[in-house]
């Protein structure tokens, strides 16, 4: 382990230099063509407030590596191969960069993230399922 200390801005810059980040329209096209798995790591309150991307796999950030590891015992059915093109998205495209780097360390060499996150997707007018309202008991 290195004793080098870096701030988050420098860490993001380093991580992103190793990713082939993708914009919302290109991500939508790749997803629609079956060439990429969109993985939404936003927490529940944001999904409930803003909605969902149709067909995106929702995985809480703290479960991401376990759910996407093709060799893992807790993997999602979609996690079929280390060659899978995974596009991680968060709310604005910051945490997703770090998440994509973590997936790359697991051997998912095509993992990347969505530039601008869900907010950029929505701003482009791409498909979004309406927000849900949490139900309460009577």
């Amino acid at each position: 382990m290195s004793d080098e200390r870096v701030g988050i801005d420098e860490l993001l810059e380093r991580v992103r230099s190793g990713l082939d980040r993708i914009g919302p329209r290109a991500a939508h096209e790749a997803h629609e063509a079956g060439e990429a798995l969109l993985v939404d790591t936003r927490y529940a309150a944001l999904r409930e407030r803003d909605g969902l991307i149709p067909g995106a796999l929702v995985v809480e950030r703290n479960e991401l590596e376990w759910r996407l590891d093709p060799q893992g015992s807790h993997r999602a059915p979609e996690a079929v191969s280390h060659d899978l093109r995974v596009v991680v998205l968060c709310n604005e495209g910051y945490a997703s960069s770090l998440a994509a780097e973590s997936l790359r360390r697991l051997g998912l060499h095509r993992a990347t993230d969505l530039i601008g996150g869900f907010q950029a997707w929505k701003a482009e007018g791409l498909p979004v399922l309406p927000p849900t309202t949490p139900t309460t008991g009577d």
Side-chain angles (χ1 to χ4, degrees):
M1 192 58 100
S2 172
D3 287 337
E4 179 186 16
R5 296 172 192 220
V6 298
I8 188 61
D9 292 334
E10 185 176 342
L11 178 61
L12 272 172
E13 185 178 323
R14 289 181 186 185
V15 164
R16 287 174 171 171
S17 72
L19 298 174
D20 294 322
R21 300 183 78 216
I22 187 169
R25 290 222 176 266
H28 178 257
E29 291 169 7
H31 177 63
E32 287 292 305
E35 298 169 355
L37 174 65
L38 296 180
V39 180
D40 186 345
T41 62
R42 293 174 301 142
Y43 52 90
L46 289 176
R47 296 190 311 266
E48 290 167 359
R49 181 190 78 188
D50 295 336
L52 297 169
I53 295 173
L57 176 65
V58 174
V59 178
E60 296 284 339
R61 175 60 189 98
N62 64 329
E63 298 177 357
L64 184 69
E65 291 81 1
W66 283 266
R67 303 288 288 146
L68 273 277
D69 178 3
Q71 298 174 335
S73 59
H74 298 294
R75 72 178 179 83
E78 295 86 348
V80 295
S81 163
H82 284 95
D83 292 327
L84 182 65
R85 185 177 185 198
V86 176
V87 178
V88 182
L89 67 107
C90 63
N91 195 48
E92 295 181 341
Y94 295 97
S96 58
S97 296
L98 300 175
E101 171 61 18
S102 182
L103 292 178
R104 283 182 170 234
R105 289 182 185 183
L106 281 177
L108 291 151
H109 62 97
R110 298 178 69 204
T112 191
D113 75 319
L114 180 65
I115 298 168
F118 179 86
Q119 296 305 322
W121 178 282
K122 191 173 180 179
E124 286 283 326
L126 295 169
V128 174
L129 296 172
T132 60
T133 304
T135 57
T136 56
D138 291 329

